[in-house]
Amino acid sequence: MSIKPLLLRATFAALLASSTAVAATKPVPAAALIAAVDAPARSAANRARDPYRHPAQTLAFFGVKPGMSVVEIWPGGGYFTEILAPAIGPRGKLYAAIGLPEDEGKAGTAIAKANAKYSASLVYANTRVTPMGKGHYDIAPAGSADMVLTFRNVHNWMNDGFAPDAFRAFYRALKPGGVLGLEEHRLPEDRTQDPKGEQGYVKQSLVIAMAEKAGFKLAGTSEINANPRDHADYPKGVWTLPPTYAEGDKDRARYAAIGESDRMTLRFVKPR
């Protein structure tokens, strides 16, 4: 056998080993992310969710860094907000794009309450409240954000009929090259998708299609938040599982053993 085929085979083997190593590599959180996750100011209730939500690895996969301008969509109880604000630091800017009540007259009250909550702590000195809901998409100045992040929300927008508008709003807020980081309860691809997402689960292929229709390009997927024990078929949807336990004490031990839902973790980019 000539030397050239041997060299080609050796080169191919080296490339294969290299690609396998890269595929198996998990994102390594930077010091700022680790410090934010370990901060004593975080609530005990939120810390209890860390083994299921892998916050440092998830935010590292999205690419969160100090000094960024980040929009968090529907921060809710603040699980990720209390990590993001210190992680991006005083040079960064965090937009907390809160969900608005259907009653237009109560929207101002919701924003005022959120402003009061964030202004009460120096942790959120870099945080500004913006609206995010049907007909309200001014989540950040157009083309200003380095990153838009959303966690387990797509099914809600499907149910309320404005999922396409939400993705367009994210695209509009981001700078060219900006990142949309998304996590959602995952429905197996061989199952029938409820177009309103009322069980809380969405096919990964559908989420990717919605994002791409808005102009995004898929830049990466991760199994950081995968849970093969979740079969996505429960009496009260995803809320049957922890931490909600929608059925109360009924079969609670079984649901606790399953843990939180199986989740897709996707990173999209707005083309330059």
Side-chain angles (χ1 to χ4, degrees):
M1 183 181 291
S2 68
I3 293 176
K4 187 174 181 180
L6 287 171
L7 287 173
L8 288 173
R9 287 170 61 185
T11 302
F12 177 76
L15 287 172
L16 181 62
S18 174
S19 65
T20 302
V22 170
T25 300
K26 292 184 178 180
V28 179
L33 275 178
I34 294 173
V37 171
D38 292 342
R42 291 188 64 212
S43 73
N46 284 342
R47 285 177 181 277
R49 308 264 52 85
D50 289 355
Y52 304 103
R53 297 185 177 177
H54 315 99
Q57 293 83 358
T58 297
L59 295 179
F61 171 71
F62 292 149
V64 172
K65 293 182 175 64
M68 279 187 162
S69 176
V70 177
V71 183
E72 184 188 1
I73 305 298
W74 285 11
Y79 176 88
F80 275 102
T81 318
E82 68 176 12
I83 298 172
L84 285 167
I88 63 175
R91 293 185 297 109
K93 183 177 290 185
L94 178 61
Y95 293 93
I98 68 166
L100 297 180
E102 291 185 12
D103 185 344
E104 292 284 345
K106 296 180 180 179
T109 302
I111 291 174
K113 284 184 177 179
N115 275 319
K117 171 186 174 180
Y118 294 124
S119 62
S121 172
L122 289 176
V123 171
Y124 303 111
N126 60 359
T127 304
R128 174 186 171 188
V129 176
T130 55
M132 167 61 195
K134 195 169 187 176
H136 300 276
Y137 306 111
D138 296 326
I139 58 175
S144 70
D146 296 297
M147 188 171 290
V148 173
L149 300 178
T150 181
F151 303 93
R152 305 173 307 282
N153 289 316
V154 177
H155 60 280
N156 292 306
W157 308 328
M158 291 169 62
N159 192 42
D160 291 338
F162 66 90
D165 291 332
F167 279 95
R168 284 192 288 267
F170 307 156
Y171 192 89
R172 186 166 55 250
L174 284 167
K175 301 173 181 176
V179 169
L180 168 62
L182 186 151
E183 180 191 307
E184 177 59 302
H185 311 294
R186 179 163 50 192
L187 183 71
E189 290 293 328
D190 61 356
R191 302 270 282 280
T192 300
Q193 176 70 62
D194 171 10
K196 295 184 73 67
E198 290 185 342
Q199 293 297 301
Y201 289 97
V202 186
K203 288 185 180 182
Q204 182 165 314
S205 60
L206 178 58
V207 173
I208 292 172
M210 286 192 283
E212 290 181 339
K213 188 173 182 179
F216 288 102
K217 300 297 182 185
L218 182 64
T221 66
S222 174
E223 294 301 296
I224 297 168
N225 297 297
N227 179 3
R229 295 185 300 275
D230 175 16
H231 300 297
D233 185 13
Y234 308 105
K236 296 188 177 180
V238 71
W239 303 280
T240 307
L241 297 177
T244 306
Y245 290 111
E247 290 212 294
D249 290 333
K250 183 180 179 182
D251 294 327
R252 191 180 184 95
R254 180 166 71 90
Y255 298 135
I258 293 171
E260 294 194 13
S261 66
D262 176 49
R263 294 161 185 166
M264 65 188 85
T265 306
L266 311 176
R267 184 175 68 245
F268 298 93
V269 172
K270 177 177 179 176
R272 294 183 181 277

